[in-house]
Amino acid sequence: MEPTLTWIDLTASDRDKMRRVLDLFTEKGTLDEMGLGSLRDALSDTLFPGTSYIQTRLRYVLFIPWIYQRLEIRRVSGSSVEQAGRKAEIDLIGSLRRDDPDADGIIGVLARGSLQRLPSSLYWTALRRWGIFRHDQSQSWYHTHYSTLSQSRDGIDHADDPGVVWTREPNWHQRLPKPPDAFPGEASFSLTREEADFLQGRLEERCAGTLLGWLARNGSDVLAADFWDDVDAMRAPGNIPNTVELARRFSLHVEGMPLLYNLLVAERCRDADVKDTRDSIEEYRAKITAWAAAEAKETQYEPEALWELVVRSGRRLPTPQRLFVENWSRRLPELDPDVVAGDVHLRRLIIDRERQLKSERARLANRNRLLDWRPGTGVGRMDFRWVRVRQFMIDLHRGLAS
């Protein structure tokens, strides 16, 4: 039977949070078998605020306000705005598809009319965080208060008009570039110079002191596969290099956790005669040894700096999560790389952690759960959304050069 997740009588804010959690299950490489997601997200938000794995191309942060501005101008009713916005976003898929037959980055290109998560919901955090949507509120709040907000838009003057006394907050940034004349019938992901200038200014102002804000002004459209290897990131000022190194080191240090977890599951599958996993077992043993050798070349990992960052960001640091990482960090330096895969203490640490997180649904304790295991679950280094941010920076700097 397919697993399901149900919620009843949640607030709009709760629904938005739950949807962001569900989106992670559709993104390759974000499965969190060892409960490290909040640590990954704390670093990601510090480096790249407003971003997420489920975003694709930068120009969506202009498409969405352009769509809603059209609805405001047309005086679409509050009871119809959500449906009208949905139709406009679905229609946008066809416009983008005509411009890009390869559909690179088009959200909903396969689902079309059945699309559940619209681009506006995926990018709303960016719109708020970057100051493009001027109210620090959710999309659900905007829909709920749309009638009042759209009626007041005609009374708002430009910010640079002399003598203006501000009595209302505009819905959208007053310097938001106007959409192309052919929009939304025609659309592409290529930013104009004006649009790129505007977005660069938003990122510089609202993300000052972060790697995202630095790269918006000082980066380029030629970027390394990992941000900790990027030449522009390496010359960032202030505390940014420290955060970059914190992310790089944490990513390497915990890479062995999902590898060891997958090895243990493969061994359980073999012992329970569920699947033939002989090749997987040998593969994981080799990968763990190679990873442990790379880890051994680094200075011993000390997690205190990460704990401080988590606390500064206002996030919780659950004691079981903290102890899990600290026990892992304490044991590794005591082992030679070629014995890490078989270490009893590390194996017990992984087994106990999964049981702690999943209870009776833990694969290492429930034979039936072995049936839905796929080799490679959660494997790979954390990239802290760099795959998305990298594309954003390519889009931005190509627009600036246009």
Side-chain angles (χ1 to χ4, degrees):
M1 184 175 68
E2 285 291 321
T4 61
L5 189 61
T6 305
W7 63 89
I8 301 172
D9 195 27
L10 294 184
T11 66
S13 177
D14 289 333
R15 286 196 298 271
D16 290 342
K17 291 178 181 177
M18 183 59 70
R19 284 166 178 161
R20 289 196 292 271
V21 171
L22 293 175
D23 284 327
L24 292 178
F25 289 99
T26 67
E27 180 65 28
K28 183 178 179 181
T30 60
L31 289 176
D32 182 24
E33 298 288 353
M34 294 291 100
L36 302 177
S38 62
L39 301 176
R40 176 198 62 213
D41 292 345
L43 285 161
S44 301
D45 289 340
T46 302
L47 290 161
F48 309 120
T51 64
S52 79
Y53 277 112
I54 51 180
Q55 298 165 350
T56 56
R57 303 296 294 271
L58 186 56
R59 209 180 187 205
Y60 272 113
V61 298
L62 300 178
F63 292 154
I64 296 161
W66 288 343
I67 286 173
Y68 277 117
Q69 281 184 329
R70 284 170 56 85
L71 299 181
E72 292 173 4
I73 292 170
R74 288 165 47 196
R75 299 191 181 280
V76 169
S77 68
S79 60
S80 303
V81 64
E82 189 168 355
Q83 182 178 356
R86 176 180 176 81
K87 181 181 184 304
E89 292 189 60
I90 296 298
D91 290 343
L92 180 63
I93 296 171
S95 301
L96 290 167
R97 187 74 172 85
R98 286 189 292 273
D99 179 77
D100 181 10
D102 295 329
D104 183 20
I106 302 176
I107 297 170
V109 70
L110 297 178
R112 295 294 181 106
S114 63
L115 180 64
Q116 297 298 309
R117 295 301 314 279
L118 297 170
S120 57
S121 67
L122 308 184
Y123 282 80
W124 203 263
T125 298
L127 293 173
R128 289 172 56 184
R129 182 64 176 78
W130 301 349
I132 297 173
F133 182 63
R134 299 297 288 172
H135 308 281
D136 189 20
Q137 299 287 348
S138 69
Q139 185 180 20
S140 301
W141 178 91
Y142 173 61
H143 287 163
T144 300
H145 297 86
Y146 170 81
S147 294
T148 302
L149 294 169
S150 61
Q151 288 169 6
S152 66
R153 71 181 303 278
D154 294 335
I156 296 172
D157 296 305
H158 294 291
D160 53 358
D161 286 349
V164 168
V165 177
W166 285 88
T167 58
R168 302 187 186 95
E169 182 75 9
N171 296 332
W172 308 99
H173 196 281
Q174 55 269 30
R175 294 189 178 86
L176 179 75
K178 293 181 179 180
D181 293 338
F183 182 84
E186 297 178 11
S188 78
F189 288 127
S190 297
L191 292 166
T192 67
R193 176 59 187 265
E194 180 190 10
E195 294 164 4
D197 278 336
F198 168 75
L199 292 176
Q200 185 183 55
R202 294 291 78 226
L203 294 174
E204 259 198 296
E205 178 184 330
R206 297 299 293 261
C207 304
T210 72
L211 183 56
L212 181 63
W214 168 260
L215 291 177
R217 172 60 60 181
N218 301 282
S220 70
D221 64 349
V222 180
L223 301 112
D226 297 306
F227 62 84
W228 46 75
D229 293 328
D230 189 78
V231 293
D232 293 320
M234 295 291 286
R235 61 186 181 88
N239 197 48
I240 296 174
N242 294 334
T243 308
V244 170
E245 175 57 18
L246 200 61
R248 183 200 72 83
R249 189 67 188 90
F250 180 67
S251 178
L252 175 62
H253 185 63
V254 301
E255 185 183 7
M257 293 177 179
L259 289 172
L260 184 53
Y261 170 75
N262 276 268
L263 172 61
L264 290 169
V265 177
E267 290 175 347
R268 292 289 174 92
C269 287
R270 176 202 61 195
D271 296 342
D273 200 25
V274 172
K275 299 177 182 178
D276 182 1
T277 57
R278 286 171 295 182
D279 291 342
S280 295
I281 290 171
E282 293 308 312
E283 177 186 357
Y284 286 123
R285 284 186 174 276
K287 287 183 176 180
I288 290 169
T289 300
W291 161 77
E295 171 69 14
K297 294 177 181 178
E298 301 274 348
T299 57
Q300 183 171 338
Y301 183 75
E302 300 290 348
E304 284 74 16
L306 179 57
W307 303 158
E308 292 174 5
L309 181 144
V310 172
V311 172
R312 285 199 308 271
S313 69
R315 297 172 182 266
R316 290 180 58 250
L317 180 60
T319 297
Q321 181 190 62
R322 177 179 59 79
L323 292 177
F324 172 60
V325 174
E326 289 177 352
N327 287 333
W328 177 269
S329 303
R330 191 177 302 115
R331 180 61 176 168
L332 273 177
E334 300 174 357
L335 304 172
D336 291 331
D338 57 352
V339 302
V340 167
D343 182 68
V344 174
H345 298 284
L346 291 181
R347 284 171 166 251
R348 174 48 57 185
L349 195 61
I350 296 295
I351 293 169
D352 290 347
R353 180 60 173 165
E354 192 198 23
R355 188 62 180 265
Q356 187 180 71
L357 293 168
K358 304 176 187 176
S359 188
E360 70 278 357
R361 290 187 55 78
R363 288 192 180 94
L364 296 175
N366 184 339
R367 184 183 186 280
N368 293 331
R369 288 294 323 282
L370 296 175
L371 299 174
D372 64 13
W373 172 69
R374 291 182 297 173
T377 298
V379 167
R381 287 189 70 172
M382 297 176 179
D383 79 342
F384 307 98
R385 307 175 193 157
W386 177 242
V387 66
R388 303 305 186 200
V389 175
R390 188 176 185 274
Q391 182 62 62
F392 280 5
M393 292 299 100
I394 290 172
D395 290 345
L396 177 66
H397 287 285
R398 286 181 179 175
L400 292 169
S402 64

